[in-house]
Amino acid sequence: MAPNLDFAPFATVRDIDNAAGKPEHPLLDLFKDSDVGVVGLGHTYGLAQKAGPGRGINRGPWQTHYMELSLSRHPSFSPRPGPVLVVVADGVGVAPPGPSNAVTEAATPTLDALTNGVRSIQLAAHGEAVGLPSDDDMGNSEVGHNALGAGRIFAQGAKLVNKAIADGTVFETAVWREVVERGQSGTVHFIGLHSDGNIHSHTHQLYQLMEQAAAANVTSACVHILLDGRDTPPRSALSYIEQTEDVVAELNERYAANFRIASGGGRMAITMDRYEADWGMVERGYRCHTHGEGRPFASATQAVETMYAESDKGDQYLDAFVVTNDGVPVGTMADGDAVVFFNFRGDRAIEISQAYEDPDFDKFDRGTHPDVLFAGMLQYDGDALVPKKYLVDPPHIDRTMSEYLCAEGVASFAISETQKFGHVTYFWNGNRSGYIDEALELYVEIPSDNVEFNEAPAMKAAEITDATIAALRSGKYQFGRINFANGDMVGHTGDLAAAIEAMETVDASVAKLLEVIEEVGGILIYTADHGNADIMYTESSSGQRTPQTSHTLSPVPFVIFDPGYANDYQLTPPPDAGLTHVAATVLNLLGFQAPDDYQPSLLSFP
């Protein structure tokens, strides 16, 4: 059982100046008997802090303007005495029950009772409801948490990039002109996730960049492909390689150019780490793409076919490879080259961006680091300015729910493990790093295990639960948000049995939280950011099952658990109810009217 706590949200910097007299933050008591450490307890406490989404203070102008905001008190509803807690069960969609649905196959009596209760509905979490180009586009954790925290629909990465390519503005930027100028005398290197999954990237956007580079007299370009198998079928890399090889051949013939695939590897093996969980991934990718260090093959096709034959690993886990000609890598980087990272999603793009552009980079030895121009498709962290050069402006998300709550003096906390910590902080707060008001907010990060998640499907749900219970019982906070990563991270492995266990872990954690919410007189909202674990495989007409590791188009649950309910509101969702309607709903339950331009609340009041 988590201890009762009586502490201020932060220790001050003055308190920790002298290491010998450094006070111990009471929340660490939760982990004294465990080998789990708390990485993030706010920037002020002096615990290990990492650069990137949701970490550090990085105060910007946006953090000085929130006090200009204000909310009106709700005319008919007074908040409960205890806090409102939003529980995001990441990757837990609502799909028809059946053997491929880990959500319904799991023994989850608590979640079943919630989702079958009277204050339970479903919300759209994909496509246009969260700012993506069409309803054929799967939602993801980043846009999902943007929507939850912003209360409005903003055009998101893929949509922004598609528009900039379609109207040509991306090719009119000074950064693109610099890329072309470098490529006219050297080589342009395109690095990114090589699929049409449309979660991190899209190959059609890559092809447009390649076409425009060739048309602008860039005669040498290399494509460094990160194999997907996560937002696409597990072993689909060969089809994408074939498409790209066709594009390369056509451009080379039409423009007398030398475009080629130069290196690659699985997205969970190289390059695309996030939240500093595994810098070794980034180092392997950097050395592969930059210096040509990796297993040599005559072609990308040969590399993938060989590794398929050697194991049953999916694309995302395949090792780094290098395409060679007579034993020499065909695409190493040199002084004067340009590098374009063509992912539009930020979380897994930040670390490799830092490796290429940070002059004081110290996370690993880069060897002889070439003088290259590095540009991202977008700026992946607007406060840390990573990268410094980018092709398309990211969405400007202003006046988030967190800003309004800080303006009203509402104390809050955000808790998750490393894999989703940035989602309940950085993405929830509108793609901005750091605190809005460190005197009112507590951000807690619990380190994720550095293993394949089907090997440990419980992940850090128990630790997140204990930390949340401690915060709830402290009496210091009126609002909290947490994320259980299990459904998404285990769902991505394609392991049905592990995903079922993951869901049962979430169920047990939510059961504990419901007890404490009732104890403190609060309200718990149970929801998700997108689907994943709800469809774990597809089945052909012949009965052959193929693991599905991608997100789904499923709606997500939205449930209000309110022990103090006295018919003082009704759950009356509009026909288009989606994740952006949650912010206004939370504000209502905290006793405020939502801003006029927020998506309407899911509640009506007598």
Side-chain angles (χ1 to χ4, degrees), residues 542-575:
S542 63
Q544 182 176 356
R545 293 179 175 180
T546 301
Q548 177 167 312
T549 54
S550 64
H551 296 168
T552 69
L553 298 175
S554 302
V556 298
F558 178 88
V559 184
I560 297 175
F561 174 78
D562 182 1
Y565 182 70
N567 291 316
D568 39 0
Y569 60 84
Q570 299 295 323
L571 191 54
T572 54

Side-chain angles (χ1 to χ4, degrees), residues 116-191:
N116 292 325
V118 293
R119 286 182 293 283
S120 174
I121 59 171
Q122 298 174 13
L123 301 177
H126 72 286
E128 295 182 8
V130 290
L132 295 171
S134 79
D135 286 338
D136 292 329
D137 294 316
M138 296 175 288
N140 61 63
S141 297
E142 289 64 41
V143 303
H145 284 77
N146 277 169
L148 287 166
R152 289 149 293 155
I153 299 173
F154 288 87
Q156 289 291 343
K159 195 170 186 177
L160 287 173
V161 173
N162 287 342
K163 180 180 184 299
I165 289 176
D167 63 20
T169 54
V170 66
F171 305 115
E172 298 170 358
T173 63
V175 173
W176 178 254
R177 289 196 294 270
E178 288 184 77
V179 169
V180 167
E181 183 178 348
R182 292 264 186 145
Q184 289 169 343
S185 57
T187 298
V188 177
H189 299 265
F190 296 102
I191 307 174

Side-chain angles (χ1 to χ4, degrees), residues 292-444:
E293 296 180 12
R295 189 173 173 184
F297 292 95
S299 69
T301 297
Q302 183 191 64
V304 172
E305 288 178 340
T306 300
M307 286 188 271
Y308 277 178
E310 292 173 345
S311 77
D312 59 358
K313 288 183 177 179
D315 297 334
Q316 60 181 319
Y317 299 116
L318 297 184
D319 292 334
F321 66 85
V322 176
V323 177
T324 62
N325 184 9
D326 292 331
V328 179
V330 303
T332 57
M333 297 180 189
D335 289 349
D337 287 353
V339 179
V340 175
F341 199 77
F342 61 85
N343 283 18
F344 48 70
R345 181 168 136 181
D347 57 340
R348 294 189 181 274
I350 289 173
E351 290 172 38
I352 190 64
S353 299
Q354 293 171 322
Y356 275 108
E357 74 169 9
D358 185 354
D360 301 316
F361 184 79
D362 62 359
K363 299 300 182 182
F364 55 80
D365 183 2
R366 296 181 293 187
T368 302
H369 180 60
D371 177 15
V372 297
L373 169 75
F374 182 86
M377 184 70 89
L378 294 157
Q379 185 166 65
Y380 305 123
D381 187 335
D383 288 301
L385 304 180
V386 177
K388 294 178 177 60
K389 295 181 183 290
Y390 50 95
L391 299 177
V392 181
D393 287 333
H396 175 65
I397 301 177
D398 63 346
R399 297 182 297 104
T400 62
M401 177 169 60
S402 294
E403 292 175 77
Y404 276 107
L405 292 180
C406 284
E408 293 294 334
V410 175
S412 67
F413 63 85
I415 301 173
S416 191
E417 62 178 283
T418 302
Q419 288 296 327
K420 300 295 179 178
F421 176 70
H423 296 81
V424 293
T425 55
Y426 174 84
F427 292 108
W428 188 284
N429 290 339
N431 303 335
R432 295 177 175 94
S433 295
Y435 290 89
I436 297 168
D437 189 330
E438 64 267 35
L440 290 169
E441 297 177 296
L442 173 68
Y443 294 172
V444 180

Side-chain angles (χ1 to χ4, degrees), residues 176 179-188 209-221 254-259:
W176 178 254
V179 169
V180 167
E181 183 178 348
R182 292 264 186 145
Q184 289 169 343
S185 57
T187 298
V188 177
L209 297 179
M210 293 168 63
E211 166 76 28
Q212 291 296 321
N217 298 318
V218 171
T219 57
S220 177
R254 179 151 49 106
Y255 293 101
N258 180 22
F259 285 31

